Amino acid sequence: MSQIKVDSIVPRGGLSGGASGGIIQTVHAFSTTKIETSSDADIISATITPSSSSSKILFMYNGNVAQESTEGREWAFIAYRGSTQIRLGRDENSNSRATFQAFGTDNVAVGSNNNGSYTITGILVDEPNTTSAVTYKLAIEQFYTSGTTAIVKIGESGWDGTGIEQVTNGYSLTLMEISG
């Protein structure tokens, strides 16, 4: 069997307007493991080794999350490169910052059944400036609570309020090295 291996394929006329780009490699992680927590938790991670220090990494996450709550609690999705938080929202007025959508159930009366389900999709571009292996991860972190009874569930898109899941599903993290 014959193989052709190249670092990149560029059109004969080159890339237009000083453009760069081209996918060099893709790493994909997928999980169906249910995460159920009332505190901060890592969700999923993947490791990629850039072939050039000028490469960019396209980080793409997709999954569902459900929350069972009888008290107010709010959550944020945070992306990490190694142990460093990346691409957070602006630092303003002592607000909590997130990489991707934050969600929660603020001001929920005790005893009510406020069970939300959310689809979380996030895309960002990072520049790690290295040719060493880099581990990226997505975590969920609590940034507000008015009580202790809220439970967040990753890998579940429905909750009927009685402890029975309506729909379970998977979630994924895809990393693509893009030539710089």
Side-chain angles (χ1 to χ4, degrees):
M1 175 156 91
S2 299
Q3 292 183 339
I4 298 174
K5 295 183 180 183
V6 298
D7 290 330
S8 67
I9 297 175
V10 177
R12 183 175 13 155
L15 296 171
S16 63
S20 62
I23 297 170
I24 297 169
Q25 64 172 313
T26 301
V27 174
H28 181 75
F30 178 80
S31 180
T32 58
T33 301
K34 181 174 151 182
I35 299 170
E36 185 173 327
T37 185
S38 59
S39 61
D40 299 354
D42 292 347
I43 298 172
I44 194 167
S45 65
T47 300
I48 191 166
T49 305
S51 60
S52 169
S53 61
S54 65
S55 292
K56 295 173 179 60
I57 304 299
L58 181 63
F59 174 115
M60 297 178 286
Y61 173 79
N62 187 61
N64 290 319
V65 61
Q67 179 174 256
E68 170 191 3
S69 178
T70 57
E71 295 180 350
R73 186 168 289 205
E74 296 182 11
W75 305 86
F77 286 85
I78 310 291
Y80 285 83
R81 178 191 340 104
S83 61
T84 303
Q85 295 179 341
I86 57 173
R87 300 296 190 256
L88 296 176
R90 68 184 176 279
D91 189 7
E92 182 176 282
N93 301 326
S94 300
N95 291 334
S96 297
R97 302 185 304 155
T99 305
F100 300 129
Q101 178 179 346
F103 71 97
T105 55
D106 194 10
N107 300 320
V108 178
V110 174
S112 70
N113 219 357
N114 189 17
N115 303 306
S117 178
Y118 310 87
T119 298
I120 305 297
T121 300
I123 300 173
L124 64 85
V125 175
D126 187 47
E127 299 179 45
N129 299 315
T130 186
T131 56
S132 298
V134 181
T135 299
Y136 287 90
K137 75 175 179 181
L138 188 68
I140 188 165
E141 299 182 8
Q142 174 186 275
F143 63 88
Y144 168 80
T145 183
S146 65
T148 59
T149 61
I151 297 170
V152 66
K153 298 181 179 191
I154 307 295
E156 182 177 305
S157 63
W159 180 253
D160 72 357
T162 65
I164 299 173
E165 301 166 359
Q166 292 177 337
V167 178
T168 60
N169 49 51
Y171 46 96
S172 65
L173 175 60
T174 302
L175 303 175
M176 290 185 181
E177 180 184 2
I178 300 171
S179 63

